[in-house]
Amino acid sequence: MKTYTKTELKALNVEKGKYFFKPDTMRFFKSKLETTGRAIGGEIFFITSEVPPHGKREYSVRAMREETGTIKHLTIRFGSLRAAKEKMRDLILTVQHATMGTGHDKN
């Protein structure tokens, strides 16, 4: 399983012509990239956090397609980084189990 640094995640997204991590976008949504990325099955899993207009910081598990740079929001928002990390671990294990022996996990 390949690990992407925060810088590599951002660069891949820009390289694919996307804008998710652009500073203006991150500022607008009060967003932070909380973790490095873990790649498996063509998806790079990572956690971001955002602050809604009248609330506390919330944490989300997301996945970026390695081929396209497209980002999906995978989970409900969590109130803690720890809960989001646990969910990300569970999602990675599920994908890992599903791709075992199929040849789809190139990482």
Side-chain angles (χ1 to χ4, degrees), residues 4-16:
Y4 284 81
T5 66
K6 292 177 181 182
T7 301
E8 289 170 330
L9 269 175
K10 292 174 182 180
L12 180 61
N13 191 251
V14 170
E15 176 186 308
K16 300 296 182 179

Side-chain angles (χ1 to χ4, degrees), residues 46-62:
F46 61 96
I47 296 171
T48 62
S49 66
E50 293 76 32
V51 179
H54 300 290
K56 293 181 177 182
R57 185 161 293 278
E58 298 173 333
Y59 302 84
S60 300
V61 179
R62 299 180 185 271

Side-chain angles (χ1 to χ4, degrees), residues 21-69:
F21 294 113
K22 290 207 174 187
D24 288 346
T25 304
M26 299 290 283
R27 246 187 321 276
F28 180 80
F29 291 103
K30 297 179 185 167
S31 186
K32 292 182 183 178
L33 178 54
E34 297 287 350
T35 63
T36 57
R38 305 280 307 271
I40 186 166
E43 301 275 356
I44 306 167
F45 294 86
F46 61 96
I47 296 171
T48 62
S49 66
E50 293 76 32
V51 179
H54 300 290
K56 293 181 177 182
R57 185 161 293 278
E58 298 173 333
Y59 302 84
S60 300
V61 179
R62 299 180 185 271
M64 178 168 55
R65 293 285 313 153
E66 285 181 293
E67 288 183 13
T68 65

Side-chain angles (χ1 to χ4, degrees), residues 73-85:
H73 184 237
L74 298 178
T75 62
I76 60 167
R77 293 194 169 116
F78 295 93
S80 73
L81 180 57
R82 179 180 171 186
K85 284 181 175 181

